[in-house]
């Protein structure tokens, strides 16, 4: 039985990924900051709930202890992420960007990913087939950045950092399958449900990469159609 932890799994892409992996036979931990929402989502899905705030060391350490006591971990899906909007509700472009905005976004999207991955590495290293899926974005691609119309800076930059972290972790842990994925522009709370895809469509690549065999790719950046340019 494959045991999987998904951060930010009480709704959106994380919730749909949990649903699909449970259907595929995984034992899934729904990681969520909010105990009430996370518990309800886990009960609905038939998953296990673990309170997990990726920005808090103590919360992450407690989650590790819970998962370890239940038997260990095979797959980590780093899905939790945020976007920050202006007080007027607008996307924050380069002219309005501040260090505080960058810090807030990076605290969850980058530092949170590192915090969780670092904490769960000992459990993953005990697995016979460890997998890490980092939910990135097409906005992370430097090769495509000049042609993209999205004016926001902090979110895209944070996901470019996620891509570099993916490469570096994959090099350091060659026995793990560690990849970054682009779900596509999916309607979730992150973009106020303006995305063109459903969560079912967006979760496709996450679910696929969470089920990699040990001969699968590692250190890559993929969407549902295949590899993406860095």
């Amino acid at each position: 039985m494959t045991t999987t932890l998904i951060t930010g799994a009480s709704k959106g892409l994380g919730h749909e990924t949990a649903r699909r992996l449970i259907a595929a036979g995984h034992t899934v931990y729904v990681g969520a900051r909010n105990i009430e929402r996370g518990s309800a989502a886990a009960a609905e899905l038939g998953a296990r709930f673990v309170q997990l705030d990726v920005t808090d060391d103590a919360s992450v350490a407690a989650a590790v202890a819970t998962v370890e006591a239940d038997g260990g971990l095979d797959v980590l899906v780093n899905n939790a992420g945020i976007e920050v909007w202006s007080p007027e509700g607008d996307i924050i472009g380069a002219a309005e960007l501040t260090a505080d905005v960058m810090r807030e976004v990076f605290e969850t999207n980058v530092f949170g990913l590192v915090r969780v991955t670092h904490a769960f590495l000992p459990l993953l290293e005990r697995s016979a087939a460890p997998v890490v899926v980092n939910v990135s974005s097409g906005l992370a691609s430097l090769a495509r950045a000049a042609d993209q119309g999205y004016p926001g800076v902090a979110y895209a930059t944070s996901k470019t950092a996620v891509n570099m972290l993916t490469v570096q972790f994959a090099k350091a842990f060659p026995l793990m399958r560690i990849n970054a994925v682009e779900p596509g522009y999916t309607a979730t709370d992150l973009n106020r449900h303006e995305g063109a895809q459903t969560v079912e469509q967006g979760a496709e690549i996450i679910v696929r990469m969470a089920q990699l065999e040990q001969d699968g790719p590692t250190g890559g950046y993929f969407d549902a159609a295949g590899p993406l340019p860095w």
Side-chain angles (χ1 to χ4, degrees), residues 30-120:
V30 167
R33 286 182 301 177
N34 186 286
I35 294 174
E36 185 177 348
R37 284 202 304 266
S39 298
E44 173 201 346
L45 292 164
R48 300 177 182 180
F49 170 67
V50 60
Q51 197 279 333
L52 180 55
D53 180 348
V54 304
T55 69
D56 183 80
D57 289 335
S59 173
V60 173
V64 171
T66 296
V67 175
E68 183 174 24
D70 285 345
L73 187 68
D74 303 296
V75 180
L76 171 62
V77 179
N78 285 309
N79 169 71
I82 65 167
E83 171 67 292
V84 174
W85 305 80
S86 75
E88 296 74 32
D90 299 322
I91 294 169
I92 299 173
E96 299 81 26
L97 184 67
T98 65
D100 286 343
V101 169
M102 289 292 286
R103 188 176 296 109
E104 182 176 356
V105 173
F106 267 59
E107 187 59 55
T108 294
N109 296 3
V110 180
F111 307 148
L113 182 148
V114 172
R115 181 177 287 108
V116 170
T117 303
H118 176 76
F120 279 97

Side-chain angles (χ1 to χ4, degrees), residues 2 33 47 67 82 101 110 120 126 129 148 174-175 181 194 211 227:
T2 300
R33 286 182 301 177
V67 175
I82 65 167
V101 169
V110 180
F120 279 97
R126 297 175 202 165
Q148 289 172 343
L175 298 181
V181 299
E194 294 175 356
Q211 298 181 87

Side-chain angles (χ1 to χ4, degrees), residues 13 182-203:
L13 285 168
E182 143 69 326
Y185 191 34
T186 303
T188 66
D189 286 355
L190 184 78
N191 55 43
R192 301 170 178 174
H193 293 269
E194 294 175 356
Q197 291 187 152
T198 65
V199 289
E200 290 80 9
Q201 292 170 313

Side-chain angles (χ1 to χ4, degrees), residues 120-171:
F120 279 97
L121 277 173
L123 299 190
L124 290 166
E125 288 187 285
R126 297 175 202 165
S127 170
V131 172
V132 178
V133 182
N134 294 327
V135 178
S136 182
S137 168
L139 298 172
S141 173
L142 291 173
R144 295 180 175 181
D147 299 322
Q148 289 172 343
Y150 185 74
V153 178
Y155 179 80
T157 305
S158 75
K159 293 302 186 179
T160 303
V162 166
N163 283 3
M164 178 58 81
L165 288 166
T166 299
V167 172
Q168 297 299 336
F169 274 114
K171 286 195 301 182

